[in-house]
Structures are given as structure tokens and as C-alpha cells.
Amino acid sequence: MKRRIVNVLLCLTMAAGLVTGCGGGKDQNASGGSSGSSNSSGTEETAGGKESVVIWDYFETDAQKNMMQDMIDGFNESQDQYEASHVYVPFADYEKQLTLGMASGELPDLVILDGCGMASFIEMDLFGDVSEANINWDEYMEGPMSSTMADGKHYGIPFATNCTALFYNKDIFDEAGMAYPDENTTWEDFREMAKALTKDGVTGFGNAATGTDEGTFQCLQWLYTAGGDYQNIGDGVDAYKLMQEMVAEGSWSKDCVNWTQSDANNNFVAGNLAMQQNGPWQIPGIEKEAPDLNYGVTVLPKKDGESGQATSILGGENMGAVKQDNMDGAIAFMEYYDQTDVMAECMKQYGSFPPKTEAAQDSYWTDDPIQKAFIQQLDTSIPRGPSASWPAYSDAIQTGFQEVITSAKTPEKAAEDTQAAVDKVKASEK
């Protein structure tokens, strides 16, 4: 029954998306590579006679783009059978374009996607079983690895793992004569800090609350810290109250409903925000574009003095091999990335943490105070879901956050309506 429903959704999505077209496919020129022609095995060859390996990603920052190209160059130079290239697809359109690709047959060989979205695409039969690949499966962290699996089979490997934490501008705090936030900061403390720092064109706090899963990723932790979870919204209604009241005070940017994580970071770097919620992938860009920015990072605020460290939401990407007759090139690329030294160097550029325990022990992460703050936050980070229906859960949850931040509904009404929407998703899983 589920598969029939999926097929109907595929057709509907394809029809709705024909106006905008597809973000990429094997017949499209990719950054760093060229399109090829099909051979008898169903794969494609480049002009140089090598088998083409096309990868989709949604990386936006210069550091992430450079990392991707360096990784591809390293793979291409490491062997003479395959030539990898990649295609950028905007994050907001990513899952739609994958769905369109499944309907049209225009898909890459490898997909780098948000880890929480992989379960639904495994169920939709997008990914192929790569359990026989020469991968050091037991060296990966349990949480990220589990998100690439179903029924004991491997459909890819974790690519990166991360979470969000609290960035703060030290100069703005120093000018106000205020102590920096730390692991003991409560919601009450945080609210007073943000309110006091909102002046002279500076807003106390901002995050990404755009109406996509990117917004869910940044907003959901507030619900969990309040005592709720993705299936029990009402228990976290205090998070809705905090957001709406701080927006009304002007200390939580009302513009965040349209902000991506890059938007939030750009405003922080520009000095428009005293504090932001964001991830370690922003660090390489800050070091390059704003090397003199005097900032720190600490864990997100906890609800009160008794609640312990606040939660954060586990983020990161997985690398999945698209199901097809010949997956050798995709597997070869994953095996290349599985090398500890390759992974560590990529994640240093990317601004995230390696999903393999050995790679994460590099002094680059363990000796740096800002990186250590994220490691501390990872200890209490939780995944989105996990559920094959996560996209539907995310849509329902983020609608609620948008309604609260814009004051379209009271916190209580938003919680009630979001719970009803979540309950419908939950019922559809049975």
C-alpha cells in the first residue's frame, strides 16, 4: 500500500515540478567534470574514456564547495578507471529533485543528503545495497551509521556529523559589560542577555527558521529542551512561548522565518546579531572572510538550573549509492572517502565532524576551544526522527514554528494544531 502511495506522489510531484525543471542529471555538465555517453553496461563514459561518477550535493559555502572539488580531484587522481564530478542542487529543492529524478530516470550515481532524509528514500527504493563494499563499517559512530541502514543492510555511509550551538560576539558583550553565555546559561539568562543587547541596530539573537527542514533542524532543539519531542508537541509549548515573547520584545529576529543558516551567519558576521544559533560548518568561512571577528561558541541555553545541558539536534549528511545495474563507481568513491586521512581532511575544510571515531580524534578538533564546544554539545544531541516519514513530520513541525514566530497563532493554538498534524503523520505510518 505504501509503495502505491509513493508512486502516486511521485507522479503528482513530477507534474508540479515540470515548470521549474530538474536540478541536474547524468546528461548535465557538472562542476569539475563533463557529461558522458551511455555504454553497454548502463554507465556513462567521459571524453577520456573513463566511467563517469556523478554526485549531487547542496553545499553553499565557499569552504564546502572547495572541499567537494578537492575531494573529487583527489579521487580522480587516485585511480584511472573513474572520473567523478558533481552537480549543485539547492537545499530547498533537493528532495523534490530526487523524487523527480526517480520518476524520470535522471539521477546521479551518488547522493549526499541530509541524514534524516535517507530513511524515506531507502523506503522509496532510491538507494542500492552496498553491504559488500570494502568499508570499515565498525569504525563509524553508531548514530550516524544507523541512519544509513535498513533491515540490517547498508545503503551508503555517513559523510559528516554535527549539531548547532550558540555563537556570541565577544566585543558586543564586552561593550555592554556583560558576562559571556556558558554551559550554565538558562533560558531566563539568555532572554535577558538578548534583550539587553538589542540596541543600536543590533538584535540580541537570531537563527534559521525558514520553512524547510533546515528551519526544523534549528528550531526543534528548543522544543526538546522544553520537554517535548517530534511526536509530542504540547509538552514543549514553553519553547513556543519563549520564541513568541522574544520576537515581540525585538530580541529574537522576526526576519529569521526567511533565513537560511547562511543568512543567520552573514548577519552575525556583519555585527547585526549579538548571538546566533549555527553549526561548525560556518567556522572555515568566518576564518577566511572575517578573521578578526572576536567571537566564542558555547552550548545552547538550558531551560532552567535543574534541566542540565540543553539538547541540540544531530545533523550531518550521508552519502548514498543510487540503485542501478552498475554501482561500482559509486562504491569506489565511498571506499575512497572511507579512508581516515581523506575523511579528516575533508571535514576540516567542510566545517563538520568526521563520523568515524578515529578521524574525530584528530587534534584539530580536540585542541581547539571552539571545536570542543561543539563536541560538548554533540553529547546531548539527538536525531530528527528517525522515521521514514520524517519529511512529513518536519513540514508539520516547521509550520508550527513559523506560526509562532510570526504571531499568526498563540503558542497554545500552534501547539494544538501542530500536534494534530503530527498525529495524522503518525497514523499514516501504521
Side-chain angles (χ1 to χ4, degrees):
M1 179 66 177
K2 283 187 176 179
R3 183 58 51 82
R4 288 199 295 271
I5 293 172
V6 166
N7 288 336
V8 171
L9 289 174
L10 283 172
C11 294
L12 290 174
T13 306
M14 183 178 180
L18 287 177
V19 175
T20 57
C22 188
K26 284 191 172 184
D27 61 345
Q28 177 178 345
N29 287 335
S31 175
S34 58
S35 59
S37 57
S38 297
N39 61 27
S40 58
S41 64
T43 61
E44 294 184 356
E45 292 182 356
T46 66
K50 295 182 179 181
E51 292 183 28
S52 175
V53 179
V54 178
I55 306 163
W56 279 9
D57 67 73
Y58 48 72
F59 300 144
E60 292 183 344
T61 71
D62 289 341
Q64 291 171 339
K65 293 174 184 177
N66 291 337
M67 174 279 302
M68 194 68 192
Q69 194 57 55
D70 287 349
M71 176 173 58
I72 285 173
D73 290 344
F75 171 73
N76 290 342
E77 293 167 4
S78 72
Q79 43 72 47
D80 56 13
Q81 184 175 358
Y82 305 104
E83 182 174 323
S85 59
H86 72 117
V87 173
Y88 166 78
V89 180
F91 182 85
D93 297 331
Y94 205 76
E95 292 190 354
K96 180 180 76 173
Q97 298 297 359
L98 283 173
T99 307
L100 285 169
M102 291 181 68
S104 67
E106 294 294 328
L107 286 166
D109 300 286
L110 274 170
V111 174
I112 298 177
L113 77 166
D114 200 338
C116 71
M118 192 160 183
S120 61
F121 282 104
I122 291 174
E123 186 173 274
M124 292 166 67
D125 210 27
L126 172 64
F127 297 115
D129 182 2
V130 294
S131 301
E132 299 303 315
N134 185 23
I135 300 290
N136 299 303
W137 307 109
D138 58 350
E139 295 182 7
Y140 285 83
M141 299 175 187
E142 182 178 354
M145 175 56 75
S146 65
S147 68
T148 67
M149 300 179 65
D151 299 325
K153 297 178 180 179
H154 295 275
Y155 293 90
I157 58 173
F159 180 75
T161 189
N162 55 52
C163 63
T164 61
L166 187 69
F167 289 63
Y168 56 94
N169 186 311
K170 292 183 177 181
D171 289 340
I172 293 177
F173 273 81
D174 291 344
E175 289 172 9
M178 297 180 63
Y180 303 147
D182 58 24
E183 65 272 10
N184 296 313
T185 299
T186 65
W187 278 8
E188 182 179 358
D189 300 329
F190 166 71
R191 183 173 178 176
E192 290 303 314
M193 288 176 182
K195 188 175 181 179
L197 296 171
T198 299
K199 59 183 179 180
D200 301 327
V202 175
T203 302
F205 175 76
N207 70 341
T210 183
T212 69
D213 195 63
E214 187 173 6
T216 307
F217 175 56
Q218 286 233 346
C219 292
L220 186 59
Q221 76 86 18
W222 298 92
L223 186 75
Y224 272 86
T225 298
D229 60 50
Y230 80 101
Q231 291 185 327
N232 297 284
I233 308 301
D235 292 342
V237 70
D238 285 346
Y240 284 0
K241 294 177 182 177
L242 177 73
M243 288 180 172
Q244 192 167 92
E245 290 169 3
M246 287 184 65
V247 169
E249 293 169 353
S251 58
W252 186 316
S253 175
K254 64 181 180 181
D255 295 329
C256 68
V257 291
N258 298 314
W259 282 358
T260 66
Q261 295 174 110
S262 293
D263 294 329
N265 187 65
N266 289 341
N267 276 280
F268 178 74
V269 170
N272 300 327
L273 295 175
M275 296 179 285
Q276 69 157 336
Q277 178 185 349
N278 227 311
W281 56 87
Q282 304 293 0
I283 296 171
I286 293 175
E287 291 176 347
K288 180 181 178 181
E289 303 298 333
D292 297 327
L293 183 66
N294 188 19
Y295 76 101
V297 175
T298 188
V299 295
L300 290 157
K302 54 188 178 181
K303 187 180 179 186
D304 54 53
E306 303 299 323
S307 63
Q309 184 179 323
T311 60
S312 186
I313 303 303
L314 191 65
E317 285 76 31
N318 294 338
M319 184 184 293
V322 173
K323 186 177 182 179
Q324 53 188 324
D325 292 339
N326 187 345
M327 297 166 55
D328 292 347
I331 290 172
F333 195 93
M334 287 193 296
E335 291 174 345
Y336 172 77
Y337 184 69
D338 179 59
Q339 299 174 86
T340 297
D341 58 338
V342 172
M343 181 182 293
E345 289 305 311
C346 286
M347 289 300 99
K348 290 175 186 178
Q349 285 183 273
Y350 180 70
S352 194
F353 298 93
K356 288 177 69 173
T357 303
E358 181 182 354
Q361 293 172 350
D362 191 292
S363 60
Y364 175 84
W365 291 283
T366 59
D367 291 351
D368 180 84
I370 288 179
Q371 300 285 0
K372 285 176 68 174
F374 283 103
I375 294 174
Q376 181 182 356
Q377 187 72 81
L378 276 169
D379 287 341
T380 59
S381 295
I382 53 178
R384 285 162 285 172
S387 170
S389 300
W390 178 254
Y393 279 115
S394 179
D395 286 347
I397 291 166
Q398 196 53 22
T399 296
F401 282 120
Q402 292 247 321
E403 291 169 342
V404 166
I405 293 171
T406 60
S407 291
K409 293 179 181 178
T410 66
E412 293 79 9
K413 179 59 174 173
E416 178 185 345
D417 291 350
T418 302
Q419 185 66 61
V422 163
D423 287 343
K424 288 183 179 179
V425 179
K426 194 186 309 184
S428 72
E429 295 180 309
K430 297 178 180 178

